[in-house]
Amino acid sequence: MKKIVILFNLNRHKYEYETEFDSEYTINSIYDSISDKYEVYKVEADKKFEWIQKIIDIHPDLVFNVCEGYYGPARESVYGAIIEQLGLNYSGPDSTNLLICHNKYLSKKILSKKVKTPFGYIITKAEEINLIPEIKYPVIIKLNSEGSSMGMTQKSIVYNFNDMKKQAIYLLNKYKRSVLIEQYIKGTDMSMIFVEGLGPLGPCIVDCSSEFYDYEMKTIKDNTVNINTVDGNYEKLKNIVNIIVNTLDIKGYSKMDFRFDGKDYYLIEVNAQVSFHPQGEFITCAKTDNYNFNKIINIIIKNALQKKQKINSVGWRE
């Protein structure tokens, strides 16, 4: 029986940075879906990195890597890179995918000639705000290398320079990392996923009471959010997903978030690392194409096990 390690960061709801981490419910759901076929170990990727020796001792055939990391623009890619150094195979995107996609500004710059993206500017310090060219409002202010809408509230949408400057400085001071100032697209939040061997799946639509799917909606008020499958022909959107996957040379799987303004799909971000929460966007997109939780998890693992080691991404194909 092949050995699988589920490598994860656990959300204990103690710190803001744990927002992206997985709940026990999600980890146990993954475990239950595969434990009858494999010898499965749950290993928490602790902050002291004691998990490395645990994985060495187990020496699994595959690491099911769902780690998010604790801090910094390269936090997601750290785990893939370490697993590679140990000579072990792992599921999902490789370390290059995780690094590039976690940088919203960079990944959309790469893709902007091929798919519609909001215009945007990146700043690393307050003085750079005054160097931004004249832009059309509204714009949205967000952390460039964060997920789960961390730092984002309804104040993130601004309609003039002074409010933009105030919100950008607030994020710079609080989080000490780069800030993205981006065109705000009014419309519907939609997501698509890609699974290697299956292609694009979805979409799903996020229905919440706020203007956009902000931090509060993803945490405190998550029980008020509905993530629904969508019927219809979405070949145009699936073609966009294929362009993104091929351009970024994405391995394993990913999730893409879009805003649909009634005419066009604007790429908001590419998530290389994803949440496998059974009621989350990734699984809901899979359900749109009749793949339930157990089936999609087992397909991902089966595909990953066909290779003895991770095939690395080139990061960017012209």
Side-chain angles (χ1 to χ4, degrees), residues 40-52:
V40 186
Y41 301 81
K42 292 184 282 187
V43 176
E44 182 179 356
D46 61 285
K47 212 169 186 178
K48 294 181 180 179
F49 284 78
E50 293 173 353
W51 59 270
I52 296 176

Side-chain angles (χ1 to χ4, degrees), residues 147-159:
S148 297
S149 298
M150 187 184 296
M152 296 179 70
T153 69
Q154 295 307 300
K155 292 181 180 179
S156 299
I157 304 172
V158 298
Y159 296 85

Side-chain angles (χ1 to χ4, degrees), residues 33-309:
S33 71
I34 61 176
S35 57
D36 62 332
K37 300 180 185 67
Y38 308 103
E39 185 178 336
V40 186
Y41 301 81
K42 292 184 282 187
V43 176
E44 182 179 356
D46 61 285
K47 212 169 186 178
K48 294 181 180 179
F49 284 78
E50 293 173 353
W51 59 270
I52 296 176
Q53 188 59 53
K54 292 178 183 178
I55 285 185
I56 291 172
D57 293 341
I58 296 169
H59 196 73
D61 296 282
L62 183 74
V63 178
F64 191 87
N65 172 38
V66 291
C67 290
E68 297 284 354
Y70 291 87
Y71 183 81
R75 62 178 171 80
E76 288 185 349
S77 62
V78 167
Y79 301 88
I82 291 175
I83 297 167
E84 289 167 9
Q85 304 314 302
L86 299 178
L88 296 173
N89 190 14
Y90 64 101
S91 64
D94 84 326
S95 54
T96 300
N97 295 149
L98 292 164
L99 179 65
I100 291 176
C101 293
H102 198 52
N103 187 322
K104 297 180 179 71
Y105 181 76
L106 174 61
S107 57
K108 282 186 282 191
K109 273 292 182 183
I110 291 172
L111 293 163
S112 60
K113 292 183 179 179
K114 297 185 178 182
V115 302
K116 283 189 176 294
T117 62
F119 69 78
Y121 303 94
I122 193 81
I123 60 169
T124 58
K125 50 189 176 181
E127 306 89 271
E128 294 172 347
I129 299 171
N130 295 317
L131 302 177
I132 294 175
E134 186 174 343
I135 57 178
K136 183 179 179 181
Y137 294 95
V139 296
I140 189 165
I141 319 295
K142 61 180 79 172
L143 296 172
N144 183 49
S145 293
E146 276 304 338
S148 297
S149 298
M150 187 184 296
M152 296 179 70
T153 69
Q154 295 307 300
K155 292 181 180 179
S156 299
I157 304 172
V158 298
Y159 296 85
N160 57 68
F161 179 81
N162 287 336
D163 286 344
M164 179 183 75
K165 185 174 183 178
K166 182 180 178 180
Q167 187 65 19
I169 290 175
Y170 166 75
L171 291 181
L172 286 169
N173 289 340
K174 182 176 180 179
Y175 294 98
K176 312 296 187 208
R177 62 195 77 172
S178 60
V179 170
L180 179 60
I181 298 171
E182 186 173 73
Q183 174 189 11
Y184 177 67
I185 307 296
K186 189 174 179 63
T188 303
D189 285 310
M190 303 183 73
S191 292
M192 289 285 294
I193 66 171
F194 162 78
V195 176
E196 195 169 323
L198 298 179
L201 304 176
C204 71
I205 287 182
V206 178
D207 182 19
C208 62
S209 58
S210 64
E211 179 72 11
F212 67 98
Y213 198 19
D214 63 11
Y215 181 76
E216 187 179 51
M217 288 291 113
K218 292 184 179 181
T219 54
I220 301 169
K221 296 183 178 179
D222 61 328
N223 62 329
T224 69
V225 176
N226 292 312
I227 302 172
N228 301 312
T229 58
V230 187
D231 294 327
N233 184 346
Y234 287 92
E235 286 307 308
K236 180 180 178 180
L237 194 50
K238 291 184 177 184
N239 288 337
I240 293 171
V241 170
N242 281 326
I243 291 169
I244 293 168
V245 169
N246 292 333
T247 302
L248 297 180
D249 193 29
I250 291 174
K251 307 300 181 185
Y253 53 72
S254 63
K255 178 173 77 76
M256 294 83 171
D257 296 331
F258 297 89
R259 268 258 161 157
F260 180 58
D261 69 355
K263 178 184 176 183
D264 295 309
Y265 299 101
Y266 286 82
L267 176 67
I268 302 303
E269 63 182 281
V270 181
N271 301 273
Q273 192 55 284
V274 305
S275 167
F276 287 102
H277 190 287
Q279 284 79 50
E281 293 156 85
F282 189 94
I283 299 301
T284 303
C285 280
K287 288 177 180 176
T288 300
D289 286 275
N290 299 313
Y291 293 97
N292 63 24
F293 180 88
N294 288 344
K295 192 169 184 179
I296 204 71
I297 295 295
N298 278 277
I299 286 172
I300 288 169
I301 288 177
K302 183 179 179 181
N303 286 345
L305 281 170
Q306 289 175 356
K307 311 175 186 72
K308 291 189 175 180
Q309 70 179 74

